[in-house]
């Protein structure tokens, strides 16, 4: 994997060695510790930055590997060793403290061990006083379903009940319960084994103390900028209660020191974009254009705030600013919100390629901005976990897909906003062939796979044969072959305007939920 990644970076970096105005220079070396080894957190990020910054990451054996955490002490040694000759760092604190995102949810580390690791951040400025330290941390999620894929084993049986119990506790504190809800709460407390609930809450308490300490380090100037990513934190829930607590802890920290938004996997790309703008002394302007309907007032699935607030937070975190005139914007960010304000799953029957009036109107707006010479990035958030088939079909028919600066329609709204925004801003300094390749990868992954091929494989193989999506077992080869064939058909059918000589599909974490895409 390391060799492949180095080759990919070299291919995308050759032109970046030439000096240019705007953003940072590709010679500016920065360190990046990703949240985990998935493409969204690693390969896609490095590729997007390759024409802008020289991003150095640890060797593969120092990174997490699914449920195996990173070796934290050697990883810190690598960071210390490289701190003296770098201009800045973007650090996933979950990796440097718990070993990975997954490990933050199921670790058995003591409070003392965790706080010792947090204190390592103090050594960075001692090694290099001019160093810019940008960090992103996560608020532990509260899944609403029974799942032990990334949570402790007992969450597979009692997860939904734990979620519901904490939601009622949160609501009780934040407005009160109806009599029937109080009865339900009492029943849940009797149903969930005390040792499981205690284990879950004690781990969260330790994580909360770690995050509070990171806020203190930000206040002290040890961390120059901190992002708190909120992962699947719809309200009410334990995560929502903890967020309110952390906002109290962050009181007095200004927006140029700390910010929080719904979304996690985009954190590395957002902060590397911020670092590039910071090193170049730039603050690019972003104009927002919402789809017809509630638009900015939409609260997307899995999130706890409006799309408008989420977009504003991502723009600020990336080092940008909102402008009110598209003619003065460095980027027009189109936000494809659902016309009725309700986010559905991309796999739902509602996500058909039939042209909807709202999608047609929004495609016309996109066309008008492009015709007017404006750089357009599309955050496709009408559906969760995949692109909007109707809108993308309209853009394909009009020949507009390759004329976008950037596109993202992945997982959650926050993920898509962050990726579309940052790739759109970075596109200004990309070589045209690099920008087109990155755009094609996102269309293949978010539109091709998440909105179409994944559902087809689910209907034809996974559901009929009762396959566990997170443990494909004996069906893995058959499923992976079907995915590769489906993706190849999709690319030939819908991305004819892009240069794709070879398509490589990989399967991080050996599951059907997400894939990795590379093209040549």
């Amino acid at each position: 994997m390391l060799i492949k990644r180095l080759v990919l970076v070299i291919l995308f970096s050759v032109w970046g060695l030439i000096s240019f105005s705007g953003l940072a220079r590709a010679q500016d070396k920065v360190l990046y510790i990703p949240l985990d080894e998935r493409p969204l957190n690693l390969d896609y990020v490095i590729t997007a930055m390759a024409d802008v910054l020289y991003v150095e990451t640890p060797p593969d054996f120092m990174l997490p590997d699914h449920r195996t955490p990173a070796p934290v002490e050697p990883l810190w040694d690598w960071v210390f060793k490289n701190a003296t000759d770098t201009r800045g760092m973007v650090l996933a604190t979950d990796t440097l403290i718990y070993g990975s995102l997954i490990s933050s949810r199921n670790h058995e580390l003591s409070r003392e061990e965790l706080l010792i690791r947090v204190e390592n951040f103090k050594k960075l400025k001692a090694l290099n006083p001019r160093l810019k330290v940008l960090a992103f941390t996560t608020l532990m999620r509260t899944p609403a379903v029974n799942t032990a894929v990334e949570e402790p084993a007992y969450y597979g049986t009692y997860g939904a009940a734990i979620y519901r119990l904490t939601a009622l506790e949160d609501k009780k504190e934040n407005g009160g319960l109806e009599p029937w809800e109080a009865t339900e709460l009492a029943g849940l407390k009797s149903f969930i084994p005390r040792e499981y609930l205690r284990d879950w809450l004690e781990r969260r308490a330790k994580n909360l103390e770690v995050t509070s300490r990171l806020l203190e380090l930000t206040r002290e100037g040890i961390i120059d900028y901190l992002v708190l990513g909120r992962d699947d934190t719809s309200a009410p829930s334990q995560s929502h209660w903890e967020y309110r607590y952390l906002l109290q802890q962050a009181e007095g920290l200004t927006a140029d020191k700390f910010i929080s938004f719904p979304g996690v996997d985009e954190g590395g790309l957002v902060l590397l974009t911020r670092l590039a703008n910071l090193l170049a002394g730039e603050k690019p302007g972003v104009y927002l254009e919402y789809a017809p309907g509630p638009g900015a007032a939409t609260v997307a699935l899995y999130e706890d705030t409006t799309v408008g607030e989420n977009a504003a937070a991502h723009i600020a975190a990336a080092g940008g600013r909102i402008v009110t005139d598209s003619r003065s914007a460095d980027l027009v960010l189109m936000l494809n919100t659902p016309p009725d304000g309700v986010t559905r799953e991309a796999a739902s029957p509602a996500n058909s390629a039939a042209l909807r009036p709202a999608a047609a109107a929004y495609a016309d707006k996109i066309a008008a901005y492009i015709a007017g010479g404006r750089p357009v990035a599309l955050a496709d958030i009408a559906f969760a976990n995949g692109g909007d088939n109707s809108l993308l079909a309209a853009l394909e028919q009009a020949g507009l897909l390759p004329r976008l600066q950037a596109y993202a329609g992945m997982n959650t709204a926050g993920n898509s906003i962050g990726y579309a925004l940052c790739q759109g801003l970075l596109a200004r300094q990309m070589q045209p062939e690099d920008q087109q390749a990155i755009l094609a990868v996102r269309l293949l992954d978010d539109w091709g796979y998440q909105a179409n091929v994944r559902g087809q494989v689910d209907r034809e193989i996974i559901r009929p044969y009762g396959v566990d999506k997170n443990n494909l077992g004996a069906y893995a080869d058959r499923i992976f072959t079907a995915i590769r064939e489906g993706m190849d058909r999709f690319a030939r059918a819908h991305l004819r305007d892009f240069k794709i000589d070879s398509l490589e599909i990989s399967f991080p974490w050996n599951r059907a939920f997400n894939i990795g895409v590379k093209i040549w």
Side-chain angles (χ1 to χ4, degrees):
M1 184 170 118
L2 175 60
I3 293 173
K4 287 183 180 178
R5 192 162 75 243
L6 286 174
V7 170
L8 190 65
V9 172
I10 290 168
L11 287 173
F12 276 88
S13 296
V14 170
W15 287 102
L17 297 175
I18 302 172
S19 63
F20 46 73
S21 61
L23 281 180
R25 301 163 299 168
Q27 302 99 312
D28 289 329
K29 173 186 168 183
V30 300
L31 300 187
Y32 174 50
I33 304 295
L35 191 60
D36 55 43
E37 79 284 13
R38 288 173 298 154
L40 275 179
N41 291 313
L42 189 56
D43 287 349
Y44 293 164
V45 176
I46 295 171
T47 301
M49 298 304 305
D51 288 341
V52 182
L53 292 172
Y54 171 55
V55 179
E56 187 166 346
T57 58
D60 284 0
F61 69 86
M62 287 189 182
L63 295 176
D65 183 7
H66 195 193
R67 294 183 72 94
T68 302
V72 173
E73 281 69 29
L75 187 57
W76 270 112
D77 289 341
W78 183 89
V79 172
F80 296 147
K81 179 181 178 181
N82 287 277
T84 56
D85 64 343
T86 183
R87 297 196 65 186
M89 295 180 175
V90 171
L91 307 175
T93 67
D94 286 33
T95 306
L96 288 167
I97 296 171
Y98 310 107
S100 70
L101 174 63
I102 289 182
S103 298
S104 73
R105 299 165 179 166
N106 56 36
H107 67 83
E108 299 294 341
L109 297 164
S110 69
R111 171 183 177 273
E112 291 71 25
E113 287 177 284
L114 295 172
L115 293 179
I116 286 172
R117 292 175 176 181
V118 174
E119 293 306 299
N120 280 333
F121 286 92
K122 286 186 172 181
K123 301 177 185 178
L124 299 175
K125 290 292 181 75
L127 290 167
N128 184 350
R130 299 179 62 186
L131 182 68
K132 295 296 182 184
V133 179
L134 282 61
F136 60 105
T137 192
T138 67
L139 180 61
M140 190 172 170
R141 69 180 186 176
T142 308
V145 296
N146 293 338
T147 173
V149 176
E150 299 175 19
E151 270 68 28
Y154 55 78
Y155 212 91
T157 302
Y158 297 99
I162 291 173
Y163 165 81
R164 181 59 179 163
L165 183 149
T166 69
L168 291 171
E169 291 281 17
D170 184 24
K171 185 180 179 185
K172 179 180 176 181
E173 182 177 305
N174 206 34
L177 299 177
E178 299 294 334
W180 64 269
E181 290 176 318
T183 302
E184 181 187 5
L185 178 58
L188 288 167
K189 288 180 178 179
S190 299
F191 171 69
I192 302 168
R194 291 183 181 180
E195 63 271 24
Y196 294 160
L197 187 59
R198 181 171 60 250
D199 174 79
W200 191 75
L201 290 173
E202 286 179 353
R203 184 176 296 105
R204 297 190 74 103
K206 286 186 283 190
N207 291 12
L208 199 60
E209 185 174 1
V210 164
T211 307
S212 296
R213 181 62 185 135
L214 291 171
L215 287 167
E216 291 176 20
L217 294 178
T218 305
R219 202 182 303 277
E220 295 167 13
I222 302 300
I223 296 172
D224 292 288
Y225 190 76
L226 179 67
V227 167
L228 172 65
R230 310 199 299 277
D231 186 20
D232 295 356
T233 54
S234 55
S237 66
Q238 180 69 18
S239 300
H240 188 248
W241 180 92
E242 290 170 1
Y243 177 52
R244 295 203 309 275
Y245 171 83
L246 289 171
L247 284 183
Q248 294 174 354
Q249 301 301 302
E251 188 174 356
L253 282 173
T254 54
D256 62 342
K257 298 288 288 181
F258 168 75
I259 205 162
S260 179
F261 51 64
V264 167
D265 287 331
E266 74 276 22
L269 181 60
V270 169
L271 283 186
L272 282 166
T273 304
R274 181 184 185 86
L275 185 56
N277 284 319
L278 184 66
L279 294 176
E282 290 197 347
K283 203 172 182 69
V286 181
Y287 180 79
L288 302 176
E289 182 73 63
Y290 295 92
T298 302
V299 178
L301 195 63
Y302 308 117
E303 298 185 349
D304 61 355
T305 191
T306 67
V307 167
E309 292 169 341
N310 200 358
H314 276 84
I315 291 168
R321 57 193 171 86
I322 295 176
V323 297
T324 56
D325 187 342
S326 64
R327 293 169 297 181
S328 64
D330 295 289
L331 181 70
V332 175
L333 180 61
M334 310 292 294
L335 295 115
N336 180 34
T337 45
D340 60 357
V342 178
T343 308
R344 297 170 178 84
E345 290 288 345
S348 71
N351 191 19
S352 76
L355 187 61
R356 301 189 311 270
Y362 202 50
D364 288 344
K365 272 193 175 180
I366 293 171
Y369 280 120
I370 291 175
R374 307 313 307 150
V376 172
L378 173 58
D380 191 0
I381 57 177
F383 295 90
N385 292 306
D388 181 342
N389 282 316
S390 180
L391 175 63
L392 291 165
L395 295 175
E396 177 190 10
Q397 186 174 358
L400 293 173
L401 290 178
R403 299 182 67 184
L404 294 171
Q405 288 284 91
Y407 169 84
M410 65 188 74
N411 303 358
T412 69
N415 297 156
S416 296
I417 290 169
Y419 249 82
L421 165 71
C422 293
Q423 290 186 339
L425 291 174
L426 295 168
R428 295 176 296 155
Q429 302 304 334
M430 292 179 188
Q431 293 300 308
E433 60 270 27
D434 294 351
Q435 180 270 334
Q436 285 288 287
I438 289 170
L439 175 59
V441 165
R442 289 266 52 82
L443 288 166
L444 284 166
D445 195 339
D446 305 348
W447 180 27
Y449 183 66
Q450 293 195 37
N452 291 283
V453 174
R454 181 171 61 191
Q456 180 182 354
V457 172
D458 186 61
R459 291 188 300 271
E460 295 178 357
I461 304 175
I462 292 177
R463 276 188 284 172
Y465 293 94
V467 181
D468 182 348
K469 296 179 183 180
N470 297 299
N471 182 15
L472 303 180
Y475 290 90
D477 288 344
R478 179 177 177 181
I479 290 170
F480 293 161
T481 298
I483 290 172
R484 290 189 176 101
E485 291 175 351
M487 290 296 292
D488 185 63
R489 287 193 300 270
F490 188 91
R492 285 187 278 108
H494 299 287
L495 273 75
R496 293 185 298 271
D497 292 333
F498 292 87
K499 187 179 186 302
I500 303 176
D501 295 326
S502 180
L503 173 61
E504 179 184 319
I505 306 298
S506 60
F507 303 93
W509 295 1
N510 201 39
R511 62 180 187 172
F513 180 70
N514 47 18
I515 62 173
V517 178
K518 291 181 183 178
I519 64 171
W520 287 271

